[in-house]
Amino acid sequence: MNIICLSAGRYHSIVYAGNQTATTPQLLPFKDVYHTDASVYVFGYGMDGCLGLDDKEHRKTPTVLKFFNSRRVISVVAARQHSVVLTDTGLYTFGVGSMGNTTTPVHRPYPMYSPTLVLGLPQNVKGVAVGGYHTLIWTVHSVFGFGSNSNHQLDACFEGVTEEQEQQTTPHSVRDVRLINFFSDKTVRSAAAGRTHSLVLCDEGLYSFGLGPHGELGLGPDVKLATQPKHVDFFDGIAIYGVYCGCFTSFVLTENGLYGFGCGKYGKLGISPTNVLDLNDMYNVSNYEVGSKTTSVEVNTFHPTPVAEVNEWLMPPPPPPREPTPSEKGEDDETTTNTHTSPPPTTKSRR
């Protein structure tokens, strides 16, 4: 069996897999990929409904979610307590939706145990990104959001709302699908969502917004909250292949390798603290108490920083040094290739 797409939540996982030969792995979300014999599998904690199996049972082994057997699946994503499946007929969510992350129109403290279609989306959705309690969906020229706004992660959705939309909005959540107007004139390629922040990759550049106290916005130590998308200048002129978010971390895969920024607690950025101490202007280093016996170093990096060990594996080795040509050495080609000189002709004197 070949894995086509997979994702892990807090206590559950969701996998899209089939018996056909898998396509070449893509760094950006799956598009125009259809596997006739593939199925969606779920396993893990089931009490919150995030397995979509219409019960509260846990699953210790992968179990087919038959609801999607007759649907063309594009992508699957697992969040903290809910799941999202993008198909050619629409977006389906299941799990805990009390914060609006499953687009329930009213406060709903109880979970959704089976996949439910999200209304209000366009037909040409290209991808979906799920954070802790909020969701982003994008088309070629638009980005939509819904879910929790408890930490300003969806403040960008409040620009230009109608009176009807205002009735579906509370200070802490967006319960209907809401367009983020900022990206209407951009060409969107991908997006990623963390616990309280988001990244959106466009042809025009990389943008971040939301709450980023640990540096996960990549905007420097002076910007820890962006209520509207802000351009991450660091990556100007660098080709970006993919963007990814953890709980309080961000990663950007580029032509120059992998960059990480945000909370480095427990080494989850893959950046050695010994390297950080030499760059105090780029990092916030503090001691962090773990239990009563151990102490570790918490590294918050506010600027994109290469993940050296990963890049050694990702990037090809440099080519061997090339021998300089004679012209590069400052030598004349003719004098170096033809050093023989003929004697001058002799003349006989007349008597």
Side-chain angles (χ1 to χ4, degrees):
M1 181 175 294
N2 296 293
I3 304 298
I4 303 168
C5 183
L6 59 87
S7 183
R10 189 180 186 185
Y11 298 125
H12 75 291
S13 299
I14 182 168
V15 179
Y16 182 45
N19 293 322
Q20 288 182 342
T21 302
T23 59
T24 303
Q26 301 181 44
L27 294 173
L28 298 182
F30 299 91
K31 297 181 296 183
D32 302 325
V33 177
Y34 185 35
H35 300 261
T36 54
D37 66 341
S39 298
V40 175
Y41 296 83
V42 292
F43 53 97
Y45 186 81
M47 187 66 69
D48 292 333
C50 48
L51 300 183
L53 296 171
D54 203 22
D55 59 37
K56 300 180 181 180
E57 301 296 324
H58 309 323
R59 299 297 194 280
K60 295 183 179 181
T61 58
T63 303
V64 175
L65 184 51
K66 297 180 180 180
F67 179 90
F68 295 104
N69 282 359
S70 60
R71 291 171 171 82
R72 176 178 174 178
V73 175
I74 299 174
S75 182
V76 297
V77 186
R80 185 180 177 88
Q81 289 178 286
H82 73 286
S83 301
V84 177
V85 177
L86 177 62
T87 74
D88 63 336
T89 58
L91 185 75
Y92 293 84
T93 60
F94 40 99
V96 173
S98 60
M99 297 297 291
N101 41 291
T102 52
T103 63
T104 52
V106 295
H107 178 73
R108 187 174 184 176
Y110 52 90
M112 299 165 56
Y113 290 98
S114 59
T116 303
L117 180 66
V118 176
L119 303 178
L121 288 177
Q123 295 296 321
N124 56 340
V125 173
K126 296 299 181 182
V128 56
V130 179
Y133 296 105
H134 72 288
T135 302
L136 297 179
I137 306 103
W138 67 92
T139 67
V140 175
H141 295 293
S142 58
V143 177
F144 300 83
F146 59 88
S148 173
N149 192 47
S150 58
N151 289 284
H152 306 280
Q153 56 265 57
L154 289 179
D155 274 357
C157 293
F158 285 80
E159 181 183 355
V161 297
T162 65
E163 182 177 351
E164 182 180 354
Q165 289 175 325
E166 188 67 29
Q167 296 175 359
Q168 298 293 333
T169 303
T170 71
H172 301 298
S173 65
V174 178
R175 301 187 185 280
D176 62 332
V177 177
R178 189 73 55 80
L179 175 68
I180 300 178
N181 292 323
F182 178 89
F183 297 104
S184 297
D185 61 344
K186 307 288 191 298
T187 301
V188 183
R189 292 171 50 198
S190 183
R195 178 73 178 271
T196 59
H197 75 292
S198 299
L199 300 177
V200 176
L201 177 61
C202 304
D203 283 351
E204 294 76 7
L206 177 65
Y207 299 86
S208 65
F209 55 96
L211 183 65
H214 306 283
E216 53 265 53
L217 297 179
L219 300 172
D222 297 329
V223 182
K224 298 181 180 180
L225 174 64
T227 58
Q228 293 295 320
K230 292 186 178 295
H231 185 251
V232 184
D233 298 335
F234 180 91
F235 295 102
D236 286 351
I238 302 175
I240 298 177
Y241 302 138
V243 294
Y244 314 91
C245 289
C247 189
F248 298 112
T249 58
S250 299
F251 290 92
V252 179
L253 184 60
T254 75
E255 61 181 342
N256 297 333
L258 181 67
Y259 290 83
F261 43 102
C263 179
K265 182 179 174 181
Y266 304 123
K268 57 189 174 184
L269 282 179
I271 300 170
S272 172
T274 57
N275 297 332
V276 173
L277 297 178
D278 297 329
L279 299 169
N280 289 325
D281 58 326
M282 295 178 62
Y283 296 86
N284 175 20
V285 183
S286 60
N287 291 328
Y288 183 82
E289 296 288 338
V290 182
S292 58
K293 295 182 179 180
T294 60
T295 302
S296 63
V297 176
E298 179 176 356
V299 181
N300 296 335
T301 160
F302 294 91
H303 297 270
T305 305
V307 183
E309 290 79 3
V310 175
N311 289 335
E312 290 177 0
W313 173 71
L314 284 175
M315 307 301 290
R322 179 178 59 86
E323 285 293 331
T325 63
S327 59
E328 291 174 338
K329 293 180 179 179
E331 301 176 356
D332 189 347
D333 288 347
E334 292 186 358
T335 58
T336 56
T337 58
N338 184 15
T339 58
H340 175 74
T341 57
S342 300
T346 59
T347 58
K348 296 182 179 179
S349 61
R350 294 183 181 178
R351 292 186 181 267

